[in-house]
């Protein structure tokens, strides 16, 4: 193949990718940033300014919602890691060859059902006339049904359930790459269970942990259906604010500003997380 | 040498069953302090299983393991003073060389200064003093090898176990590491238990070799004992090269056993091993190529106490000092014999008639299929 032909094939290969990045990622965001920097001074008259951002800062409800969304997302991420790590370890290291496939498949099953149906399943379980509450009444532990829905705990449980798969998959793939002899060497050289976990298994799995955390955090912070359906009116999720600005208030400028703020805020959180764990994004992506 | 603590490691009647399958079967041995002990056996004979039991990763179904005279069966792997170099070394890729070596010392609760001192010391002893801050993936195969040994030796183990650590290296490096391992063992003056399926590694490095087959120890002895006085047909076949013929004993004489091989070659052999051989028994005969003299047919008579056969050179296998000729005897048996190829006019060539002589005493005869 001549060099020109090589270059041509390279361009052809990359064209769809470049188009996708440009049309679906770069352009909408430029549009959104531009939109968010327009201030409404009179009906149909706009001028450039940071008014939408200043509004955000001046209204505590807005930034409280953002902080709440971020902290709840961090909590969900931490819970997903705490629950997902033992599961991933079991799948990758303890389960036999055949059990492994079945277990992995079971983790994937929730993905076959849409977000909406999954959330609705939780509602059936948790509402006052739902399965759990009815069971409690039937067993005589309470006289009246208990409303488990519409509180933070319900939102967190629902979110952890939705995103945990995205924690387990990268963890399994990194842990799978770790030979059993690595763990045995850890014990052989005198380490106890805790030392082996802390000094060998976790550092080895770090790229998977970071990748899983990034994905779960981003998914959680950007989720809409689960917090709204399980948290009800007082879920105060930031995506709900964005939705309200765009759809209810028809204030596209402020909605765009909020959207951009969410992106910036989550990006900074991820960057801080990478910094603290001493991982680089490239390293994380390459190892998982 | 009669007290118990003269032995670093003793195994007494060790058995290991995986379900109905017996991987290690009644293995007993004791290793004197400071020796290089090899376990040699074909793939799947249970070498790794035996070593994992010594290290504590598997529990024997039967038997006892003693370290420095004390039973360690109830001691968990991280408390046994037995360190192990894994087949694929298992260096920790997320730590550098220093941290890899320091890991064990930290687990033992050593202080910062002590760790620094010990790491520097052990790195000098494996002749890699400048590599402390290298990452594992920046090391060559031979360097990784030595770091894996250093990581264990920093902890002053009673016994160092090595599970085919040269398996992953290329041939040239293997040859160099063989000698190096032996020197390192001298340096550290620690008992090494070395697992291998390569008989030349075992012969070159070891003070004692145990030959293992199908979960059992066939014979334990010095390398030259195994080579010259094998106790079983398996050992004779596995250790070193040999011509191997099955046949039947025709007659038991004072100077040896007259055997006719399946192909019809008649040789006089000496009985080896424990099984008694009487006329009519099926036997296996082994002759090492270096004991067979291949010469041009001459007038001189056969030496007494020796087998003499004639044949034609089928091919010359030139390999420098280890060259061989493959000789076809009149009845079609192929016989390998070592020759010196000088490049001069006296060398044997394909198609040449040739005479083969070897002593009765070097013709090893075992009862076939015997225990
Ligand atoms: N956990 C296990 N469960 C069942 N069988 C096993 C197990 N571990 C080993 N075996 C069997 O025990 C036998 C001995 O295995 P082992 O690993 O000790 O062989 P080895 O001598 O080290 O072989 P190699 O030279 O190939 O490493 C093999 O037949 C193997 O299939
Ligand atoms: Mg093995």
């Amino acid at each position: 193949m001549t060099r020109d032909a090589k270059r041509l094939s390279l361009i052809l290969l990359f064209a769809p990718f470049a188009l996708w990045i440009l049309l679906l990622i770069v352009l909408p965001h430029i549009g959104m940033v531009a939109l968010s920097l327009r201030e409404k001074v009179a009906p149909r008259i706009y001028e450039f300014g940071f008014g939408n951002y200043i509004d955000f800062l001046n209204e505590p409800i807005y930034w409280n919602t953002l902080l709440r969304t971020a902290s709840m997302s961090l909590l969900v991420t931490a819970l997903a890691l705490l629950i997902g790590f033992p599961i991933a370890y079991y799948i990758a290291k303890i389960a036999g060859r055949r059990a492994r496939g079945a277990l992995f498949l079971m983790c994937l099953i929730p993905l076959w059902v849409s977000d909406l149906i999954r959330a609705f399943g939780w509602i059936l379980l948790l509402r006052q006339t739902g399965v759990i509450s009815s069971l409690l009444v039937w067993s005589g532990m309470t006289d009246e049904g208990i409303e488990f829905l519409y509180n933070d705990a319900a939102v967190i449980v629902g979110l952890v359930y939705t995103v945990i798969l995205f924690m387990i998959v990268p963890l399994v793939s990194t842990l799978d790459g770790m030979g059993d002899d690595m763990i045995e060497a850890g014990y052989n050289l005198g380490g106890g269970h805790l030392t082996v976990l802390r000094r060998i298994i976790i550092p080895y799995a770090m790229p998977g942990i970071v990748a899983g955390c990034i994905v779960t955090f981003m998914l959680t912070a950007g989720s809409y259906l689960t917090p709204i359906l399980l948290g009800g009116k007082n879920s105060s999720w930031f995506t709900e604010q964005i939705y309200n600005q765009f759809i209810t208030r028809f204030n596209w400028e402020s909605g765009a500003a909020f959207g951009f703020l969410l992106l910036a805020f989550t990006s900074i959180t991820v960057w801080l997380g990478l910094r603290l764990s001493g991982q680089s994004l490239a390293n994380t992506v390459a190892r998982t | 040498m009669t007290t118990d603590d003269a032995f670093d490691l003793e195994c007494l009647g060790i058995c290991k069953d995986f379900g109905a399958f017996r991987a290690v079967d009644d293995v007993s041995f004791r290793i004197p302090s400071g020796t290089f002990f090899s376990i040699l056996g074909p793939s799947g004979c249970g070498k790794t299983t035996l070593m994992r039991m010594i290290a504590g990763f598997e529990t024997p179904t039967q038997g006892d393991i003693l370290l420095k005279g004390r039973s360690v069966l109830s001691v968990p792997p991280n408390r046994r003073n037995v360190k192990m170099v894994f087949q694929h070394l298992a260096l920790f890729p997320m730590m550098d060389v220093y941290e890899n070596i320091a890991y064990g010392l930290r687990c033992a609760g050593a202080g910062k200064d002590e760790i620094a001192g010990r790491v520097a010391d052990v790195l000098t002893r494996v002749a890699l003093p400048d590599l402390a801050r290298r990452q594992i993936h920046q090391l060559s195969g031979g360097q990784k090898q030595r770091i894996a040994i250093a990581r264990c030796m920093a902890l002053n183990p009673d016994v160092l176990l090595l599970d085919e650590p040269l398996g992953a290296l290329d041939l040239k490096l293997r040859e160099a590491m063989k000698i190096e391992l032996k020197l390192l063992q001298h340096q550290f003056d620690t008992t090494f238990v070395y697992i291998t399926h390569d008989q030349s590694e075992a012969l070159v490095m070891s003070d004692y070799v145990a030959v293992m087959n199908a979960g059992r120890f066939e014979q334990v002895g010095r390398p030259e004992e195994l080579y010259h006085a094998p106790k079983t047909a398996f050992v004779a076949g596995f250790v070193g090269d040999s011509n191997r013929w099955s046949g039947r004993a025709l007659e038991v004489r004072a100077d040896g056993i007259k055997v006719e091989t399946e192909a019809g070659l008649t040789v006089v052999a000496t009985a080896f091993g424990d099984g008694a051989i009487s006329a009519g028994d099926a036997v296996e005969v082994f002759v090492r190529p270096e004991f067979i003299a291949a010469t041009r047919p001459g007038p001189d008579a056969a030496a007494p106490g020796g087998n003499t056969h004639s044949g034609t050179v089928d091919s010359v296998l030139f390999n420098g000092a280890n060259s061989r000729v493959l000789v076809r005897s009149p009845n079609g048996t192929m016989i390998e014999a070592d020759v010196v190829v000088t490049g001069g006019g006296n060398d044997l060539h394909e198609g040449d008639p040739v005479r083969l002589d070897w002593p009765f005493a070097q013709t090893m005869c075992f009862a076939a299929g015997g225990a």
Side-chain angles (χ1 to χ4, degrees), chain B residues 201-241:
Chain B
E201 274 176 23
L203 295 183
V204 168
M205 294 192 279
S206 322
D207 297 316
Y208 292 95
V209 180
V211 179
M212 195 171 182
N213 182 32
R216 293 179 152 276
F217 271 13
E218 296 263 333
Q219 188 176 357
V220 183
R222 296 195 164 274
E224 56 277 15
E225 256 179 84
L226 296 179
Y227 193 83
H228 292 304
K231 283 211 181 105
T232 65
F234 178 83
V235 176
F238 198 73
V239 177
D241 287 344

Side-chain angles (χ1 to χ4, degrees), chain B residues 14-77:
Chain B
I14 298 282
C15 295
K16 177 72 190 177
D17 296 334
F18 291 114
F21 175 71
R22 177 153 284 198
V24 174
D25 190 6
D26 193 23
V27 166
S28 299
F29 61 96
R30 34 174 55 183
I31 304 179
S33 294
T35 41
F36 198 119
F37 187 91
S38 291
I39 299 173
L40 171 66
S43 186
C45 71
K47 306 181 295 288
T48 302
T49 309
L50 179 60
M51 182 161 286
R52 288 169 56 80
M53 285 191 281
I54 299 171
F57 298 123
E58 305 272 5
T59 324
T61 316
Q62 263 178 53
D64 200 0
I65 298 169
L66 285 81
L67 273 180
K68 294 258 183 223
R70 252 179 300 157
S71 172
V72 290
L73 280 192
S74 54
V75 181

Side-chain angles (χ1 to χ4, degrees), chain A:
Chain A
M1 209 155 47
T2 64
R3 268 185 50 204
D4 282 343
K6 257 189 187 167
R7 189 174 304 165
L8 184 69
S9 59
L10 194 71
I11 291 171
L12 283 177
L13 270 173
F14 266 97
F17 180 67
L19 275 179
W20 171 61
I21 292 270
L22 191 73
L23 289 179
L24 295 177
I25 296 182
V26 177
L27 271 183
H29 277 90
I30 291 177
M32 214 174 71
V33 172
L35 196 61
S36 75
L37 290 173
R38 294 201 305 180
E39 267 180 64
K40 200 174 193 173
V41 286
R44 298 187 185 233
I45 300 175
Y46 298 95
E47 61 186 37
F48 178 85
F50 289 93
N52 294 312
Y53 293 93
I54 292 165
D55 284 350
F56 170 83
L57 288 176
N58 286 337
E59 182 58 73
I61 284 187
Y62 293 157
W63 50 262
N64 273 338
T65 309
L66 182 57
L67 286 182
R68 186 181 132 83
T69 304
S71 51
M72 295 253 292
S73 301
L74 284 178
L75 183 63
V76 168
T77 307
L79 283 175
L81 178 61
L82 237 56
I83 301 169
F85 196 90
I87 297 175
Y89 189 82
Y90 185 85
I91 292 177
K93 287 266 111 31
I94 300 173
R97 282 261 155 234
R98 278 173 56 202
R100 180 175 307 179
L103 285 170
F104 219 46
L105 210 64
M106 266 164 65
C107 289
L108 283 171
I109 284 175
L111 267 200
W112 289 345
V113 184
S114 98
D115 231 10
L116 193 65
I117 306 295
R118 241 179 297 157
F120 190 67
W122 278 108
I123 291 177
L124 283 181
L125 279 179
L126 297 178
R127 70 178 171 190
Q128 197 164 10
T129 54
V131 175
I132 296 180
S133 168
S134 309
L135 267 179
L136 287 180
V137 173
W138 176 77
S139 68
M141 292 215 307
T142 56
D143 299 334
E144 263 175 55
I146 302 174
E147 181 64 273
F148 288 104
L149 274 180
Y150 312 127
N151 55 38
D152 287 359
V155 174
I156 286 175
V157 168
L159 280 172
V160 168
Y161 173 73
T162 314
V163 296
I164 196 162
L165 174 71
F166 297 93
M167 184 63 90
I168 291 178
V169 171
L171 281 178
V172 168
S173 76
T174 32
L175 286 173
D176 215 22
M178 176 170 66
D180 290 338
D181 57 352
M182 202 83 74
I183 300 167
E184 285 179 353
Y187 286 115
N188 184 251
L189 293 168
H193 294 304
L194 206 67
T195 317
V196 170
L197 181 69
R198 207 170 49 83
R199 300 271 333 268
I200 292 164
I201 299 175
I202 291 181
Y204 192 95
M206 209 46 171
I209 293 176
V210 171
C213 286
I214 291 177
V215 174
T216 28
F217 178 74
M218 289 303 226
L219 278 177
T220 318
S223 67
Y224 177 75
L225 263 173
T226 314
I228 302 296
L229 288 179
L230 300 183
K233 280 271 168 288
N234 44 8
S235 70
S236 309
W237 212 253
F238 198 67
T239 46
E240 195 188 356
Q241 290 288 352
I242 300 177
Y243 179 86
N244 283 342
Q245 296 297 335
F246 272 109
I247 307 296
T248 321
R249 317 261 297 266
F250 216 68
N251 188 349
W252 281 45
E253 292 71 32
S254 146
F258 283 16
F260 187 70
L261 279 168
L262 180 63
L263 177 69
F265 194 78
T266 47
S267 303
I268 289 170
T269 314
V270 166
W271 179 78
L272 273 177
L274 283 173
R275 259 304 164 85
L276 288 178
S277 66
Q279 299 285 318
S280 76
L281 198 59
N283 181 17
T284 303
V285 173
R287 288 270 294 271
T288 45

Side-chain angles (χ1 to χ4, degrees), chain B residues 124-145:
Chain B
T124 343
R125 286 164 79 173
V126 296
L128 297 171
D130 306 320
L131 296 191
R133 286 302 166 194
R134 282 279 184 90
Q135 293 300 316
I136 297 305
H137 63 88
Q138 296 170 320
L139 300 175
S140 75
Q143 287 169 338
K144 279 186 192 156
Q145 195 76 59

